[in-house]
Amino acid sequence: MSRTYEGFTAEERAAMKTHAAEVRKEARAGSRADKAAEAVRDVLAKIAEMPTSDRIMAERVHAVVTANAPMLAPKLWYGMPAYALDGKIVCFFQNADKFKARYATFGFNDLAELDEGTMWATSFALTEVTAEVEERLAALVRQWW
């Protein structure tokens, strides 16, 4: 039985084009403060565009990350709200609608160093952001710094 590679999905191609536009926009931006302010506006605008259930989760995730890891700078990453340290993405929120998934995801890149023995989770499925989920996310984003 052989499988044929059908290439990237339309959603994946769109995410790559979005990321290329983000990189170009960041290169054109003015001062560091202007870039940071514009990045926050872009993240909040992207969250506002999300379908209701994703938007509610993204707003709560954004509040948790910015309150518990203030050194992380919000920015868009492949069209997703993300949080960076010195320009490098530490964590991100991927809404379910983005790739037609059944749940949203909150993920960490290796810079977060969530290492726990020889195996650990780097992303978490979200169907709702409850008070308990907020506490777990807060602990995770505080863990590495």
Side-chain angles (χ1 to χ4, degrees), residues 17-131:
K17 287 179 184 177
T18 299
H19 183 60
E22 292 162 1
V23 170
R24 286 191 302 273
K25 182 178 181 179
E26 190 173 333
R28 288 190 308 264
S31 72
R32 188 176 205 179
D34 290 343
K35 285 182 185 183
E38 187 171 6
V40 171
R41 284 191 303 272
D42 290 346
V43 166
L44 295 175
K46 184 58 71 174
I47 290 171
E49 293 172 3
M50 293 178 186
T52 303
S53 62
D54 284 332
R55 181 179 39 77
I56 290 167
M57 287 189 288
E59 288 170 346
R60 292 182 76 182
V61 165
H62 178 76
V64 168
V65 174
T66 56
N68 289 279
M71 78 296 294
L72 295 180
K75 67 184 284 182
L76 290 178
W77 186 58
Y78 293 94
M80 298 178 287
Y83 305 88
L85 181 65
D86 298 328
K88 295 179 181 171
I89 302 301
V90 175
C91 55
F92 58 92
F93 176 82
Q94 179 180 303
N95 58 308
D97 187 62
K98 182 158 187 74
F99 292 108
K100 311 296 184 241
R102 66 181 183 92
Y103 51 80
T105 305
F106 187 72
F108 292 88
N109 285 340
D110 60 342
L111 186 61
E113 296 182 10
L114 297 179
D115 307 34
E116 191 175 294
T118 58
M119 184 173 124
W120 55 90
T122 59
S123 68
F124 301 85
L126 300 172
T127 57
E128 182 180 6
V129 178
T130 63

